[in-house]
Amino acid sequence: MHVVAIGFWGAFLGTAALMLIGALVAFAQSHHRVALAAALTAVVSALFVVTYLGWLPIANPDHDARLVAHVGIFSAVMLGLMLLLDLGLLRERETRRRILAAMMALAVLLFGMSWLLSPRQAVTYGTMVAFCFALIALLVGIRSARRGDRIAWFGVFGVTFLLLGMGGGIWIVLDRQGVPWQVHAASATAGMAYLIGIGAMLWQRYSYLIELREVLAQGPRYDPITRMQSNGATGHMIAQAFLGQQQTPARPVILIGVAIGNLYALENLHGRAALNHALFVSASRLRRCVPADMEIGRLFEDGFLLISRNAGDLDGLVKLGRELAMRLSRPVMLRTSAGEEAEGHAAWAAQVGVGLLATTAHTKPAAAVAKVRDMSRTAWSFASRVAWHDQGLDMITELPALEPGH
């Protein structure tokens, strides 16, 4: 093998080793699910590469080919399990038992079919099985990303490069001596891109769990929107917005109130930890769809306040109101206790109301905030869940829901 190819594959194995170290750190901090996914990704990827490069001390070509085929199938099954883990399908004990039994039966079937082929045919078969599983993972990732899960785009990025790397892998394993070093370099680079993409996705999940643990532990003392210890920052934010606009009164202040109507019922049914988790999830979704020029803060115990001094795009404001109502209303599975290995979960969907208000800097801030909060609570009874101030009618009315296809 060319020395340049060896260097690229060494860089790949170094990347896998760093990912494994990160998994051990996450495991030490009790984030077992993230640690398991990261460790499996690193170890299985390294095993796949070492086997396909022929770096294991196996002299018999037929035995080596059988091992390569089996590693390809094993990698496919592990990729499927990691996909199910990421989708949250292995949380419930009974469902987990059934899925694992089905995956084991599938693995036995795939391994058995490989023995019906010649060793060289089995290599191609095992690689194609792994390729098909990766393709399914890519399609599922794209589906999740298009439904609003932005973290899934990291997985899509990684699995795309995994498919490219597998294309070079089948060439390498079938003609180990005649493959140009450029193919090795491209395949190793694709493998590193795969590990980086999956690592970035897992880091997002990991940081989410760290923040969630802090929220569950501290509750009201920790603001899940501004990351401050006190809600007093919201009042300061409001004062600064209106004070700044008094210097340029021609441009109004845009206020968006978001109220969640079923938080108290959630706390009564499932406790404070579930309430804190619901606030945390709602805040996370809120931050992901709010423009960078808009400030965010808590609005009492059951809502949020968004403030913008940029009133030039009113159509964008209306679109944002609809998007907030849609995203925050999506169902979520909440934890009902603060323990790391908590089994208790509760399905919940926020009863969201959104109020849109454009006001002048001469309005009293307290009156404007009270008005937009009342508008958001009124929106609970609207089909669109969005209320706004109709300038033509000079009254609070429902923002019409989007027509199908818009």
Side-chain angles (χ1 to χ4, degrees):
M1 184 181 294
H2 197 280
V3 63
V4 176
I6 295 175
F8 272 93
W9 285 119
F12 169 83
L13 293 176
T15 304
L18 287 175
M19 191 170 187
L20 182 59
I21 293 172
L24 294 176
V25 172
F27 186 86
Q29 296 186 0
S30 299
H31 298 293
H32 298 160
R33 188 174 300 162
V34 175
L36 177 62
L40 284 175
T41 300
V43 172
V44 172
S45 299
L47 177 63
F48 185 89
V49 166
V50 169
T51 306
Y52 270 62
L53 291 177
W55 287 356
L56 296 178
I58 301 177
N60 190 312
D62 288 347
H63 293 172
D64 179 64
R66 289 293 180 189
L67 178 62
V68 169
H70 289 172
V71 167
I73 297 171
F74 174 75
S75 301
V77 174
M78 289 296 102
L79 183 63
L81 285 175
M82 285 185 285
L83 175 63
L84 295 173
L85 183 68
D86 188 59
L87 291 175
L89 299 179
L90 300 181
R91 291 177 180 171
E92 297 182 6
R93 186 171 301 174
E94 184 64 23
T95 303
R96 181 168 62 243
R97 185 184 65 80
R98 292 178 181 177
I99 290 178
L100 291 178
M103 291 296 290
M104 289 182 62
L106 178 61
V108 170
L109 176 63
L110 293 174
F111 281 122
M113 291 179 63
S114 71
W115 283 95
L116 300 177
L117 305 172
S118 67
R120 193 172 180 83
Q121 290 173 334
V123 170
T124 305
Y125 165 75
T127 307
M128 291 308 299
V129 168
F131 187 91
C132 290
F133 271 69
L135 185 60
I136 293 172
L138 177 65
L139 296 176
V140 172
I142 292 175
R143 179 173 176 268
S144 297
R146 289 175 62 87
R147 289 190 170 188
D149 185 359
R150 296 186 181 183
I151 298 178
W153 285 117
F154 290 106
V156 170
F157 170 85
V159 176
T160 299
F161 280 98
L162 173 63
L163 292 171
L164 295 176
M166 284 183 177
I170 187 64
W171 187 357
I172 291 170
V173 74
L174 293 178
D175 187 16
R176 284 174 177 158
Q177 302 303 320
V179 177
W181 69 265
Q182 291 88 345
V183 175
H184 283 281
S187 299
T189 302
M192 286 186 284
Y194 163 67
L195 292 179
I196 291 171
I198 299 301
M201 182 181 71
L202 292 174
W203 170 251
Q204 294 291 329
R205 307 289 190 200
Y206 177 59
S207 59
Y208 175 90
L209 290 175
I210 293 175
E211 201 166 22
L212 175 59
R213 183 172 61 181
E214 190 72 13
V215 168
L216 294 177
Q218 296 195 29
R221 300 190 304 273
Y222 188 78
D223 190 332
I225 282 288
T226 63
R227 302 302 184 257
M228 297 180 181
Q229 297 295 323
S230 171
N231 290 332
T234 301
H236 178 73
M237 179 182 74
I238 296 168
Q240 288 296 109
F242 278 84
L243 179 63
Q245 289 304 93
Q246 287 176 357
Q247 302 170 3
T248 56
R251 300 178 64 185
V253 179
I254 301 299
L255 300 178
I256 301 179
V258 178
I260 303 176
N262 53 347
L263 286 176
Y264 296 114
L266 175 67
E267 182 179 13
N268 291 334
L269 286 173
H270 300 291
R272 189 71 194 188
L275 171 65
N276 293 336
H277 193 178
L279 284 171
F280 176 72
V281 170
S282 299
S284 300
R285 291 174 173 177
L286 195 61
R287 287 195 310 276
R288 285 197 291 266
C289 59
V290 169
D293 62 348
M294 187 166 283
E295 297 181 89
I296 315 172
R298 285 289 299 277
L299 186 60
F300 300 100
E301 291 296 319
D302 62 348
F304 308 100
L305 180 68
L306 289 67
I307 300 179
S308 175
R309 302 176 187 130
N310 181 15
D313 185 14
L314 293 180
D315 289 339
L317 175 68
V318 170
K319 186 181 297 183
L320 176 61
R322 289 194 177 106
E323 186 176 6
L324 290 174
M326 178 186 68
R327 289 202 179 186
L328 270 65
S329 300
R330 288 176 178 167
V332 63
M333 191 67 68
L334 302 177
R335 291 187 184 181
T336 57
S337 63
E340 289 290 342
E341 301 297 330
E343 290 289 337
H345 292 84
W348 179 77
Q351 182 186 356
V352 178
V354 179
L356 309 178
L357 177 65
T359 186
T360 65
H362 298 294
T363 305
K364 291 184 178 180
V369 172
K371 184 174 183 179
V372 78
R373 187 193 186 204
D374 292 341
M375 290 169 62
S376 64
R377 288 170 167 249
T378 301
W380 291 338
S381 61
F382 293 160
S384 66
R385 295 302 177 96
V386 183
W388 71 318
H389 184 257
D390 192 320
Q391 300 290 343
L393 300 175
D394 191 25
M395 62 180 296
I396 306 304
T397 185
E398 177 181 5
L399 186 71
L402 280 175
E403 295 294 332
H406 286 73

